[in-house]
Amino acid sequence: MLVGYRSSDERERALERLASAARAELHVLGASVEGRPIHAARVPCRRPGDHAALLVCAGIHGPEYIGTEVALGVLERARGAELDGLLERAELWVLPSLNPDGYERTWVRGGEGTLRALRANAHGIDLNRNYPLPAPQRKVWFDFGGWRTGSDDPENPFYRGPSPGSEPETAALLGLLAQIRFAASVSLHSAMGMLIPPCTASASSIASYRMLCGAFAAAQPHTRYRRSAHGRFDLFTGEQEDLQHHVHGTWAIAVEHYPIWVDATRFLQPNLFRRFNPPDPGRWVTNDIPGIAAYFEAALRLPRPEHEP
Ligand SMILES: [Zn+2]
């Protein structure tokens, strides 16, 4: 029992209820290793004719429940007026749980366990290191045990798997990305309080991400997230945002909810779940959704990212 958060069943019921209220279609994109469906809700654009598409993904790492709460919060707001500006111009896809087996494992274990045990899919693979790399990886002098580049060691929490796209959860999202060319995307994680753009050497893309992340932070009512600096902290690692930016021409960032500086002492407590998830999720749902909406608004005004050779 993880107080303040939803079990897998509660999450699925909330998705059905919120999708129905928002007049969204529910799609099954695939199934996890243990056979749990990977659901997407598609909220149609309110205007007929040509329009853009936007993507909100969460739950790729088992214990990061706050991202799922924010994704469901976005869907909840899609029925009212709060996202009118976006839904006049775009359809919105919401995937609240890209790793339903990791979510369930975290729940059953009460959030107790190692990063590797709870973060991975049922094959022990870090799904956010399993996407195809858009370009060869650079060597780095210090890798923080695989955190920066992913790992080929099955015992490592950042194990990338036997080959890119090997996992059914990854394949489910790859199938959607092959069908819909999203204009902008957010992938929701915790717990750094950071906005993480893709790895890119393009000066114009770097400037655009500076602007987009600035728009995100400026719209957050009480706690503003910082953009991670290009080049220093990010590399091609098999992460979703790198693939989306370079291969699909999508303005794509990872969002790390629930900043470290809000309560750094939580990293001293033994329960892994409590390190990654705030005791008051509603406060962060309210803080972070205006940021996501502002980021999407700003991205819809940009042309696609320039192609890098
Ligand atoms: Zn994560």
Side-chain angles (χ1 to χ4, degrees), residues 260-273:
I260 289 174
W261 67 83
V262 169
D263 173 18
T265 62
R266 71 183 195 253
F267 285 97
L268 302 173
Q269 60 174 313
N271 185 283
L272 189 88
F273 183 86

Side-chain angles (χ1 to χ4, degrees), residues 61 64 119 189-190:
H61 291 137
E64 299 173 11
R119 176 182 171 96
H189 297 253
S190 61

Side-chain angles (χ1 to χ4, degrees), residues 135-259:
Q137 213 170 32
R138 278 187 278 144
K139 286 273 175 250
V140 291
W141 66 274
F142 191 61
D143 196 23
F144 301 102
W147 173 64
R148 293 183 69 195
T149 61
S151 170
D152 290 318
D153 172 7
E155 297 306 313
N156 188 289
F158 307 101
Y159 176 47
R160 71 177 105 240
S163 61
S166 59
E167 299 313 293
E169 297 89 349
T170 313
L173 183 61
L174 290 176
L176 180 65
L177 298 183
Q179 280 178 47
I180 310 265
R181 193 163 176 244
F182 291 98
S185 162
V186 289
S187 164
L188 307 181
H189 297 253
S190 61
M192 303 279 279
M194 260 202 220
L195 305 172
I196 307 175
C199 181
T200 167
S202 153
S204 87
S205 287
I206 290 171
S208 294
Y209 280 112
R210 189 174 294 131
M211 182 278 288
L212 291 168
C213 294
F216 190 118
Q220 290 180 287
H222 62 74
T223 307
R224 294 181 171 184
Y225 295 167
R226 295 157 197 189
R227 179 177 52 88
S228 81
H230 275 283
R232 256 180 289 170
F233 294 115
D234 210 8
L235 296 153
F236 289 134
T237 60
E239 288 169 300
Q240 189 187 327
E241 67 271 13
D242 288 331
L243 177 80
Q244 287 188 271
H245 176 90
H246 290 282
V247 175
H248 299 282
T250 298
W251 295 109
I253 58 169
V255 177
E256 294 260 359
H257 303 285
Y258 188 33

